[in-house]
Each structure stands twice: as structure tokens, then as C-alpha cells.
Amino acid sequence: ASFVDVKSVEKTYFTPSGVVHALGPISFSFDRGQTVGIVGPSGCGKSTMLKVLAGLEDRTRGEITVQSRNVNGPLDDVGVVFQKDLLLDWRTVLENVLLPAELRGRVDEKIRTRARNLLEELGVSGFENNQPWELSGGMRQRVSIARALLLKPSMLFLDEPFSALDALTRDKMNVIVQRLQMHEEVTTFFITHSIAEAVFLSDRVIVMSDRPGRIIDDIEVGIPKPRT
Ligand code: ADP
Ligand code: ADP
């Protein structure tokens, strides 16, 4: 078995205004340490797939196993970053990054050092004691990524994290994330509407089409990173 196996997974939303078949059935697997890019037109089910995989939405049908264990409900050790960062403006940058540890009652000097190191790796050192509203959009997203990685999750989910940023900032972010991938052992699932971005950051690119939420291509790119 692979690290993650997705078998015939489907998602249908039942809403007061009707039934939306948003995803699948889709099946695919990925290995530990891989970065999987997801591209496809708006509304094709990328976010739905990410939320179902991360356990933020229930699936309607199908099976997901992580390390051969059947998954139902939220996964414990995942980090998620959305297009809109969810930083708390009344907390400092460092306090935002420490939030996941605080919620688990696990703030100590070791985790503070980890938070500072992540901020440094992401090029946000020197801003630990600033408030998020004092930072640029690109920096805020880097703080979000630091927060998502704090507790060393086995999987990181990024849903168009840079699409609200200007092109130059986006390029810079991609280089920073690529550098980060060399140090952090985290399986990454990355949604983008830029194929160039997907190819740059991913070991593998999954292409989805709408009508309804299917995988139409699955491409290995570049030199696969060593897998553990
Ligand atoms: P993408 O991320 O590729 O833009 P989404 O996964 O957001 O696509 O959406 C796929 C389809 O499911 C769309 O038709 C969208 O309107 C619908 N959808 C997404 N989330 C919900 C929801 N919470 N309730 C009802 N329909 C939804
Ligand atoms: P994206 O395409 O980047 O996922 P959207 O603007 O389509 O962003 O959706 C924003 C949020 O609203 C998502 O969390 C999605 O699940 C939800 N959503 C999308 N379409 C619908 C819908 N028809 N009804 C309810 N929620 C929806």
C-alpha cells in the first residue's frame, strides 16, 4: 500500500438549493514525501478533494487509507493553508505560529525555537513581535505556512495559497517553498491554477476536469525526490 490510497471517492453536496455532485469517483495513491500539485478549471472540485482528503469534509462514498489505516473524520497531524490566511490580527506573528501548540497545551522553549526557526527559514525573522496587519500579503502567507508546519504534520495541504498575491511575490514564494521542501519531511498536496507553479513545486501533477470532478491526467515531473 502507498502512504495514502484514495479509492472511488465521491463527494456530493446536499444544499437547500439543490444537489451538487462536486467530486469523483476518483482513485489515486501517493507516497510519503511527495509533493502533489492539483490543477484544473475553477469549480472542478479541487478544493473539495483537498477538504475530503484532509478530513475537513465528509466524503459521500469511497475509501481513504493513510498508512493502511482507514480514515474517517479529521486527520490529526495535517497542516492546512487556504488562499485567505486565517491569521489572528490581535496576536503577534510568533503567537499566531504557536497557536497549534497552545491549543494542545504544548508551548515550551523547544516549540518556541521551532517557531522561530520556521519563520527564519521562510524569511520572516525580525517580525516575530509584529502584528499580522503590519505585514505584506506574501509575508502573511509565509506566517500561515509556518503555523501549519509547527507540529511537524505528516501532510501539508495548500489551497491556492499564493493566488491573491502579485506575480513577482508569487515567484518569490515559490522559491521559498521549494527551499523549505528540502528541509521539511512533509507530504504536500498543493492546489494552484498555474500549471507552471505546479510543475515548479511538485513531483507530480494531477489534472482535473469539471463534469464532474474527475482526474484526466496524472504526470510525474522532474526528478522525483528520494522517498522514505
Ligand atoms: P474548485 O476548488 O476546483 O474551484 P470546488 O471544490 O470549490 O472547486 O467546487 C466544486 C463544485 O462544488 C462547484 O460546483 C462548487 O460550487 C460546489 N461546492 C463547493 N463547496 C460547496 C458547498 N460547501 N456546498 C455546495 N456546493 C459546493
Ligand atoms: P475556490 O474555488 O478557491 O475553492 P470558491 O470561491 O469557489 O473558492 O469557494 C469558497 C468557499 O465556498 C469554499 O470553501 C467552498 O467550499 C465554498 N463554496 C463554493 N461553492 C459553494 C456553494 N455553491 N455553496 C456553498 N458553499 C460553496
Side-chain angles (χ1 to χ4, degrees):
S2 303
F3 180 51
V4 177
D5 286 303
V6 176
K7 284 185 209 133
S8 307
V9 165
E10 294 182 54
K11 175 66 183 180
T12 303
Y13 292 104
F14 299 93
T15 71
S17 50
V19 174
V20 182
H21 186 71
L23 185 68
I26 54 162
S27 300
F28 66 102
S29 301
F30 52 97
D31 294 325
R32 185 161 225 154
Q34 263 197 330
T35 296
V36 183
I38 308 292
V39 297
S42 187
C44 72
K46 302 184 293 298
S47 289
T48 299
M49 174 143 103
L50 180 141
K51 286 179 197 157
V52 167
L53 263 178
L56 302 174
E57 286 274 9
D58 289 334
R59 57 189 179 269
T60 312
R61 266 183 222 98
E63 200 176 292
I64 299 172
T65 54
V66 178
Q67 293 182 297
S68 302
R69 273 180 296 124
N70 197 29
V71 171
N72 283 302
L75 292 173
D76 197 34
D77 67 334
V78 300
V80 189
V81 176
F82 293 104
Q83 179 175 343
K84 178 163 179 357
D85 71 69
L86 301 168
L87 299 180
L88 306 176
D89 264 327
W90 61 89
R91 288 175 154 250
T92 66
V93 164
L94 185 64
E95 286 167 352
N96 266 282
V97 176
L98 287 171
L99 191 65
E102 204 176 307
L103 292 172
R104 288 167 181 77
R106 281 181 46 192
V107 180
D108 56 18
E109 224 18 69
K110 203 169 145 222
I111 207 90
R112 286 175 173 278
T113 303
R114 162 107 177 126
R116 288 201 190 90
N117 288 345
L118 277 169
L119 286 171
E120 187 178 342
E121 215 166 348
L122 286 157
V124 205
S125 52
F127 291 87
E128 286 90 347
N129 299 317
N130 286 72
Q131 304 298 128
W133 48 265
E134 296 177 286
L135 272 51
S136 68
M139 290 177 95
R140 291 178 65 112
Q141 276 308 44
R142 280 181 273 158
V143 174
S144 303
I145 293 172
R147 184 171 67 184
L149 289 173
L150 183 73
L151 300 179
K152 301 194 176 172
S154 62
M155 272 191 276
L156 177 66
F157 293 93
L158 305 169
D159 190 349
E160 301 201 22
F162 312 139
S163 53
L165 307 175
D166 65 84
L168 198 66
T169 308
R170 217 156 49 220
D171 288 345
K172 202 173 130 198
M173 296 289 289
N174 285 332
V175 172
I176 290 167
V177 169
Q178 199 184 40
R179 205 176 59 204
L180 187 76
Q181 285 171 342
M182 294 179 204
H183 306 294
E184 294 286 326
E185 181 69 35
V186 62
T187 308
T188 305
F189 211 76
F190 179 72
I191 295 179
T192 171
H193 52 236
S194 160
I195 289 176
E197 196 169 87
V199 168
F200 185 74
L201 286 177
S202 312
D203 305 306
R204 176 174 169 195
V205 178
I206 288 177
V207 185
M208 291 178 67
S209 88
D210 44 8
R211 290 183 229 298
R214 302 296 186 111
I215 293 173
I216 52 168
D217 218 338
D218 190 340
I219 310 153
E220 294 265 348
V221 285
I223 304 156
K225 285 187 290 189
R227 282 159 204 166
T228 49

